[in-house]
Amino acid sequence: MSTIDNKIQQLKDLGIYRELPINQGPCDAIINFNGKDIINLSSNNYLGFANHPRLKKAAKEAIDKYGVGAGAVRTIVGNMDIHEKLDDVIAKFKHEEAATVFQAGFLCNSGAIQAITDKDDLIISDELNHASIIDGVRLSKAARAVYKHSDMADLEKILIEKRNQYKDVLIITDGVFSMDGDIAKLPEIVKLAKKYKAMTYVDDAHGSGVLGKSGRGTVDHFGLNGQVDFIIGTLSKAIGVVGGYVCGSKSSRDWLLHRGRPLLFSTAMMPAAVAAIIEAFKMLEESSEYTDKLWENAKYFKDELVKKGFDIGKSQTPITPIMVGDEAKTMRFSKELLNRGVYVSGIVFPTVPVGLGRVRCMVSALHTKEMLKKAVEIMYLTAKEMDIVQ
Ligand SMILES: *Cc1c(COP(=O)(O)O)cnc(C)c1O
C-alpha cells in the first residue's frame, strides 16, 4: 500500500487532492451540498430530465412489470422486450438504420471501437477526444494516429501519408468537445472520409439532446444524417438517466451483438432505466420546448458573461468555460465560488493543457434567468477580487 499512499501524498503536495462533494438530493438547478443551497452549474443534466416526474413515473411502472434487474447480459436472457424497444426508438429518433444500447456511454467506446477495427486497420483520432475514446482505441489491435484538434489540414496530411498502408481507416471525433464546448467540423471530416475511403465515428455524448432538431445531435445539426458510419450517444447526460448507444447500419448492430464485449460480458441495463429513457425520447419527439429552453438559457448566460468581460474561449454550445489560466488560481476561483453559493468545477492540467485552466459552467433548461443572473454577479465580484476580469 505504501506506493499508493505515496502517490496520494504527491497529489496533496501539488494541491490537487480533493474530497468528493456530496449532494443530499436529486440533481437539480439548486442542489444541497453539506446543508447549503448551491446554484448547480456543473451537471450534464441539460434538459432537467434526471428528476423529471414523467421519467420517474415510467421507471416506477417498469419496476412493477419487470423487477429491478435484467438478470443476465443482453446476449443471454437479459434482453427484455423493452431493451429491444429502446433500440428501435433511438434508431427512429436519430433517422438511422439501427441502434444498439449499451449500459454506459463509456462502454460504447470500450466495445465498439475494438469490434469494428482490426490489426490491418488505422484509427485516426482528434487529440482532444474524450478519455473513453482513448481507452477504447487502446483496446483495438489497429494502428493509431492523432491529428491536431479540429485541424483538417493535419487530418488530411495523415490520410495522404498513411491511407494506403492500411485496409480500413476509422476517423474518430467527439461531436461536441467537453472541455471547450466547440463543435467538430463534421462536414469537412465526412468529405475527407469520402475522398480517402475512410469510415467515420462520432461520439456525440454532449451533442445528443442538445444540438439538432429537438436534440437529434451534431450529425442532424449539420444535416449529415445517414453519412456518418457510427454515431455514439449517451443516455446519461441530456437524456438524464444512464447508458449509451451506437447508431449505424443494421449489419453494424448485428456485429456488435456478436463482438461488442460489454454486451456479451456485462449485465443488461436496469429495466426501469430503459423505461425512463423511452419516456425521455417520447418527450423530445413531442416537443422542442426542452431544447429551446436550454439554448435560450445558454445564450442568456453567455451574453451576460461576455458583457462582464469574461473570456469564454471558443464555446459554441451550453458548455461554457471561463478561462483563468494559472492552475492554482483556477482551483482557488472554483473553491471561492462554491463558498459563495455557485458550483462550477475547476479544470486544469492534465485534463487541459498547462496554462489553460478554466472553470467550466454547464447551463441547463432547469435554470431560471434569476439564478443565472445571480451566478454571473457572484462570479464577476469574485473574479474582480482575484484579477480574473478588469
Ligand atoms: C461523458 C462522455 C462519455 C461517457 O458517457 P457515460 O454515459 O457517462 O458513460 C463518453 N464520451 C464522451 C465524449 C463523453 O463526454
Side-chain angles (χ1 to χ4, degrees):
M1 278 312 284
S2 71
T3 315
I4 291 181
D5 288 338
N6 287 340
K7 286 180 179 168
I8 291 172
Q9 190 54 48
Q10 273 175 18
L11 296 182
K12 289 181 176 167
D13 294 344
L14 290 169
I16 50 178
Y17 179 84
R18 47 153 180 64
E19 305 282 348
L20 294 190
I22 301 170
N23 179 9
Q24 322 274 355
C27 181
D28 256 316
I30 305 281
I31 47 176
N32 191 282
F33 265 10
N34 309 321
K36 203 175 148 195
D37 280 348
I38 303 287
I39 300 174
N40 173 16
L41 278 171
S42 281
S43 89
N44 300 315
N45 182 23
Y46 289 108
L47 303 176
F49 285 1
N51 190 37
H52 196 285
R54 281 182 63 176
L55 274 74
K56 292 202 283 190
K57 181 164 173 281
K60 285 176 193 166
E61 286 169 5
I63 289 177
D64 287 339
K65 182 165 178 194
Y66 294 95
V68 292
V73 299
R74 280 195 79 171
T75 50
I76 303 186
V77 291
N79 193 39
M80 295 164 156
D81 55 2
I82 127 175
H83 293 95
E84 286 285 316
K85 182 176 173 191
L86 179 56
D87 287 355
D88 288 343
V89 163
I90 294 173
K92 219 168 126 222
F93 179 76
K94 303 282 283 188
H95 305 307
E96 297 294 333
E97 217 176 277
T100 317
V101 167
F102 284 68
Q103 308 89 324
F106 196 103
L107 293 173
C108 293
N109 289 327
S110 313
I113 298 171
Q114 61 167 316
I116 59 187
T117 54
D118 224 324
K119 64 178 186 337
D120 303 325
D121 301 333
L122 172 69
I123 297 169
I124 313 180
S125 185
D126 186 290
E127 67 177 340
L128 293 190
N129 277 345
H130 189 255
S132 59
I133 296 177
I134 296 170
D135 287 10
V137 171
R138 283 184 185 141
L139 292 171
S140 164
K141 294 193 181 79
R144 298 140 208 195
V146 172
Y147 63 95
K148 290 198 201 96
H149 175 53
S150 280
D151 184 334
M152 295 300 107
D154 197 39
L155 172 58
E156 183 157 25
K157 190 167 149 249
I158 294 170
L159 285 163
I160 291 169
E161 256 170 43
K162 307 202 169 188
R163 175 64 191 96
N164 292 335
Q165 302 166 34
Y166 297 94
K167 188 164 165 283
D168 288 322
V169 171
L170 182 68
I171 304 171
I172 306 185
T173 181
D174 276 24
V176 172
F177 290 86
S178 52
M179 296 303 149
D180 292 284
D182 55 327
I183 305 173
K185 294 177 180 163
L186 272 192
E188 293 169 64
I189 292 173
V190 167
K191 216 163 135 191
L192 285 173
K194 282 182 183 155
K195 185 170 171 192
Y196 295 95
K197 298 197 169 40
M199 297 185 290
T200 43
Y201 183 112
V202 176
D203 180 348
D204 208 21
H206 283 283
S208 38
V210 175
L211 283 167
K213 183 163 172 272
S214 208
R216 280 174 173 77
T218 307
V219 173
D220 184 80
H221 167 76
F222 286 116
L224 291 169
N225 298 300
Q227 297 186 59
V228 171
D229 297 287
F230 303 94
I231 305 166
I232 282 65
T234 53
L235 301 166
S236 45
K237 287 176 175 146
I239 300 301
V241 190
V242 72
Y245 55 85
V246 181
C247 279
S249 64
K250 173 81 178 59
S251 51
S252 72
R253 181 171 189 273
D254 285 347
W255 184 241
L256 288 175
L257 291 175
H258 287 87
R259 288 292 184 276
R261 290 169 72 84
L263 297 176
L264 275 60
F265 299 107
S266 181
T267 298
M269 196 193 285
M270 182 186 188
V274 175
I277 295 163
I278 290 172
E279 188 66 20
F281 279 105
K282 200 168 156 202
M283 287 159 67
L284 292 179
E285 290 272 11
E286 283 168 9
S287 163
S288 65
E289 64 174 285
Y290 310 98
T291 46
D292 291 346
K293 186 77 184 28
L294 168 66
W295 281 94
E296 186 190 316
N297 279 350
K299 188 173 179 322
Y300 173 78
F301 181 70
K302 290 163 86 163
D303 285 350
E304 291 298 304
L305 286 175
V306 170
K307 268 192 233 160
K308 299 279 191 203
F310 282 108
D311 173 6
I312 61 168
K314 37 186 182 162
S315 166
Q316 300 171 280
T317 61
I319 300 175
T320 314
I322 293 180
M323 306 309 286
V324 179
D326 180 72
E327 283 71 27
K329 193 172 184 178
T330 304
M331 297 317 286
R332 266 190 286 124
F333 186 42
S334 162
K335 208 167 158 191
E336 190 48 40
L337 289 174
L338 181 57
N339 288 339
R340 297 180 189 194
V342 179
Y343 189 50
V344 285
S345 46
I347 296 176
V348 296
F349 181 80
T351 308
V352 293
V354 175
L356 290 184
R358 80 276 314 260
V359 297
R360 188 181 59 159
C361 314
M362 308 288 286
V363 185
S364 85
L366 284 177
H367 293 105
T368 62
K369 292 255 159 59
E370 291 68 39
M371 288 174 198
L372 296 173
K373 196 170 162 63
K374 188 172 162 196
V376 171
E377 268 160 25
I378 293 171
M379 286 174 177
Y380 179 63
L381 290 176
T382 314
K384 232 172 129 66
E385 285 171 28
M386 293 180 65
D387 266 340
I388 293 166
V389 285
Q390 299 310 307

